[in-house]
Amino acid sequence: MRILAFLGRRLGIFALSLLGASLLVFAVCAALPGEVAAIILGEGATPDQIAKLTAQLGLDRPWPVRYAEWVGGMLRGDFGTSYFTGQNVLQLMAPRIAVTLWLVFFALVLSVLVAVPVGMLAAMKRRSWIGFVASAAAQLGMAIPAFWAAIALVLVFAVWLHQLPANGYVPLTTDPASWAAHLVLPVISLAIVQASVLVRYVRSAFIEVLSEDYYRTARAVGWRPFPALLRHGLRNAALSLVTVIGLQLASVLVGAIVIESVFALPGLGSQLLDAVSQRDLSIVQGVVMFLAAAVLLINFLVDLSYAWIDPRLRTGDER
Amino acid sequence: MRRLSLWLGAALVALVVLMALVSLVWTPYDPTLVVPGQRLQNPSAAHWLGTDAMGIDVFSRLLIGAQTTIVVGVVSVSIAAVLGVPLGMLSGQAGGWVDEVVMRVTDIAYAFPALLLAILLAARFGASPVTAMIAIGLATIPSFARVTRAGTTQVMSSEFVLAARASGTRWPGVSMRHVLPNIAPLIGVQASVTFALAILAEAALSYLGLSTAAIVPTWGKMLRDAQSVMFSAPLQALWPGLAIAMAVLGFNLLGDGLRDLLDPRLREVT
């Protein structure tokens, strides 16, 4: 029963977070009805014209009605339409979701693949210069803005060495090799920062493991340090790592907005920024809500994974 | 090695503050003065770091940029601390349903990313450093509230607080005389780390053109300008990037160094 209570509680927080986020997005983008009409008509529109267009768009109705309509639409997969072009926001987003997903997925995988071994090394060798170098590198990596790393990578690999494309995107189905080549630099620039943050967490999680009895026992019966840490430490450290990786996933998703802009990748982030510069609030509203919902869903899934990783939560023992 | 973090961090932060202070009274050239005849010059005795695509002295822009960095950091950290610390103290001292409600609301708000909030506000109210600072400040309230709450519950269970309460000190007295002074170092650590986060977020927003619309020099904006000339003048992208990395590294190291000076019981909650 303990696990059901845990899951129920988490589901409740997830639902409330979605409600909170949607209210915030709605309040910022859509609460003042006259605004949209004023933006569409541009400067020089008379109050009469604004009022007329507002009524035409159905924006003169009370906000709870409009909010309910918006949320109801999203639940049916309707994220609204652009006031300027009349296009369906979900249809605008659909081809772009894949671009962002690939970027985020590979960046996360790469950062985990780099950070776990480096962090373990930093933990085991924490009293030697190797550990110092690993920690210092992580500090430096955290301080570097991802878009600066991106510019530097483009300079070296695209401008000087001519090995990789400087920007743009080719769909996987069109040309897999070119697709991969276009993703290499964005993925690396996004992963540098994420891996650095992760190294610090992996390091402290494994330092904790090193002082545990089970690790000392494993060493005493003849396990070498690295295999002992892999065999016995990884699962125990996994709980805190999953939390961090989940939080990381959210920040990778947000970081992708910036990276997409550097590399002119046609993803959700660049769509959002285009919409911001055109002040197309209906697209902004849809995309931000979509991204926020994705972040909240990730956090919820992280919570669920606790139940799977931590057997104490399943059997009902005290944590 | 431990004290190294503290001193190196303090030195880097001091350097950024110094740059900002110096720029208040002196810059080699007017950092907004466009000189079309002097575009993209290499570093020289006259222009230490060269000139940018508009012929503006890069070193002068870099110095002025430190001001924006400091202001954005101070304002966003203040917003987060002024709202987050009392919330956390309230939650930690009141306990019961108040604690439950505050912490659940924090859980809900915690997940909303600062950058996304900043983009949202920029879309609605227009891009400016003010919306950027407000967004970063609001988005980091939950982390201040959490740390403060954790520190407060720690302090509340200590014997001197029990003694003070037993002798009739009411909660405002306990808060001001016992809790706040004891968790102040903890808040200092949080402020330092949040400062670094604010610098990075503001740089990203400026780079995206969502913080400063006009010619106001910020390091992120300099990187944006540098990117358009990176084929002919790659050095342009070096200086502002280095400045951002230096400032962020400084505040992160300072935070780490301060954390190591904390009371071990408080260190657990960071």
Side-chain angles (χ1 to χ4, degrees):
Chain A
M1 284 326 281
R2 190 184 162 79
I3 192 158
L4 282 183
F6 173 82
L7 293 181
R9 202 179 158 83
R10 293 294 144 174
L11 190 63
I13 290 181
F14 175 53
L16 279 177
S17 309
L18 277 178
L19 182 71
S22 64
L23 281 171
L24 173 73
V25 172
F26 182 82
V28 173
C29 288
L32 288 181
E35 199 128 19
V36 172
I39 293 172
I40 295 174
L41 292 170
E43 280 173 35
T46 63
D48 258 10
Q49 288 171 311
I50 292 176
K52 203 175 153 209
L53 186 61
T54 302
Q56 255 175 27
L57 294 167
L59 294 174
D60 54 347
R61 293 167 301 156
W63 74 262
V65 177
R66 286 182 288 127
Y67 172 77
E69 198 177 79
W70 176 55
V71 171
M74 282 191 301
L75 292 177
R76 292 191 311 270
D78 176 11
F79 277 69
T81 47
S82 160
Y83 288 124
F84 290 118
T85 62
Q87 282 169 297
N88 181 291
V89 175
L90 191 64
Q91 274 170 15
L92 283 173
M93 286 197 287
R96 291 163 170 268
I97 291 173
V99 182
T100 304
L101 265 186
W102 285 126
L103 178 59
V104 168
F105 172 73
F106 286 123
L108 193 73
V109 169
L110 180 63
S111 58
V112 170
L113 286 181
V114 172
V116 170
V118 172
M120 284 172 73
L121 191 71
M124 283 194 303
K125 305 277 182 193
R126 68 185 182 284
R127 293 187 218 289
S128 81
W129 64 269
I130 298 177
F132 179 81
V133 169
S135 298
Q139 272 287 6
L140 276 179
M142 277 171 67
I144 292 174
F147 56 93
W148 188 45
I151 294 173
L153 287 172
V154 168
L155 264 180
V156 175
F157 291 99
V159 179
W160 293 337
L161 298 177
H162 297 289
Q163 291 302 312
L164 290 163
N167 56 32
Y169 183 76
V170 174
L172 174 62
T173 45
T174 312
D175 178 358
S178 175
W179 166 78
H182 279 90
L183 276 176
V184 172
L185 294 183
V187 165
I188 294 177
S189 20
L190 197 49
I192 288 175
V193 188
Q194 304 305 330
S196 308
V197 179
L198 209 50
V199 162
R200 286 165 58 86
Y201 285 101
V202 174
R203 178 176 177 272
S204 51
F206 276 100
I207 284 179
E208 212 157 288
V209 169
L210 287 175
S211 64
E212 298 279 359
D213 288 340
Y214 58 78
Y215 175 76
R216 224 171 301 152
T217 311
R219 292 277 286 122
V221 299
W223 285 77
R224 305 283 308 144
F226 204 72
L229 215 50
L230 270 184
R231 178 76 179 77
H232 299 284
L234 203 55
R235 195 180 174 98
N236 279 287
L239 199 60
S240 48
L241 290 187
V242 163
T243 318
V244 177
I245 291 173
L247 288 174
Q248 290 277 294
L249 194 51
S251 72
V252 178
L253 194 57
V254 176
I257 299 175
V258 185
I259 292 299
E260 281 174 15
S261 161
V262 181
F263 290 98
L265 293 178
L268 284 178
S270 45
Q271 181 179 35
L272 176 59
L273 294 171
D274 287 347
V276 170
S277 59
Q278 291 160 3
R279 298 208 69 194
D280 194 330
L281 286 179
S282 46
I283 295 184
V284 172
Q285 191 178 353
V287 178
V288 169
M289 193 57 225
F290 185 83
L291 289 175
V295 168
L296 295 174
L297 181 67
I298 292 164
N299 287 350
F300 177 58
L301 293 178
V302 168
D303 284 339
L304 289 193
S305 69
Y306 286 165
W308 176 61
I309 296 174
D310 190 348
R312 284 165 295 192
L313 214 53
R314 264 185 310 224
T315 56
D317 294 341
E318 272 305 313
R319 291 182 70 184
Chain B
M1 144 114 207
R2 275 300 151 211
R3 289 296 162 93
L4 182 72
S5 295
L6 185 66
W7 290 117
L8 190 60
L12 290 174
V13 169
L15 187 61
V16 178
V17 173
L18 187 71
M19 282 171 73
L21 288 179
V22 166
S23 74
L24 285 176
V25 290
W26 174 82
T27 51
Y29 296 86
D30 180 349
T32 55
L33 182 70
V34 177
V35 186
Q38 296 188 348
R39 299 178 67 247
L40 296 176
Q41 293 190 350
N42 282 326
S44 65
H47 296 281
W48 295 352
L49 301 181
T51 59
D52 69 6
M54 292 179 290
I56 304 176
D57 182 56
V58 170
F59 185 60
S60 304
R61 275 189 104 184
L62 211 58
L63 282 180
I64 289 280
Q67 279 182 30
T68 319
T69 300
I70 296 287
V71 169
V72 168
V74 167
V75 173
S76 11
V77 168
S78 305
I79 293 175
V82 163
L83 295 170
V85 170
L87 262 182
M89 282 175 65
L90 173 75
S91 191
Q93 286 189 63
W97 66 269
V98 175
D99 184 25
E100 186 71 14
V101 168
V102 172
M103 282 300 111
R104 289 298 81 81
V105 172
T106 337
D107 279 348
I108 291 166
Y110 189 72
F112 207 91
L115 205 64
L116 209 52
L117 184 62
I119 292 173
L120 190 63
L121 292 185
R124 169 69 166 65
F125 302 105
S128 82
V130 178
T131 48
M133 290 185 287
I134 291 177
I136 300 167
L138 290 181
T140 44
I141 291 174
S143 46
F144 268 89
R146 279 187 178 182
V147 165
T148 308
R149 178 192 174 270
T152 304
T153 45
Q154 189 70 255
V155 174
M156 288 300 279
S157 65
S158 57
E159 282 169 4
F160 60 86
V161 169
L162 292 178
R165 292 175 71 191
S167 64
T169 315
R170 294 189 172 272
W171 71 263
V174 174
S175 304
M176 300 315 290
R177 233 170 298 153
H178 299 292
V179 178
L180 205 53
N182 276 291
I183 61 168
L186 196 64
I187 297 168
V189 172
Q190 186 65 27
S192 196
V193 176
T194 308
F195 209 113
L197 195 136
I199 294 173
L200 273 178
E202 197 280 331
L205 288 170
S206 300
Y207 172 77
L208 295 174
L210 292 179
S211 175
T212 36
I215 200 162
V216 179
T218 67
W219 294 340
K221 177 84 166 46
M222 288 175 77
L223 274 176
R224 182 185 172 83
D225 296 345
Q227 198 187 0
S228 52
V229 293
M230 67 190 230
F231 297 98
S232 51
L235 265 186
Q236 294 287 321
L238 181 65
W239 310 117
L242 270 184
I244 297 168
M246 183 184 79
V248 174
L249 183 66
F251 279 100
N252 272 336
L253 286 176
L254 185 65
D256 273 9
L258 289 174
R259 182 178 294 136
D260 292 321
L261 294 181
L262 286 180
D263 182 316
R265 275 171 303 160
L266 281 181
R267 202 180 303 159
E268 273 174 23
V269 306
T270 55

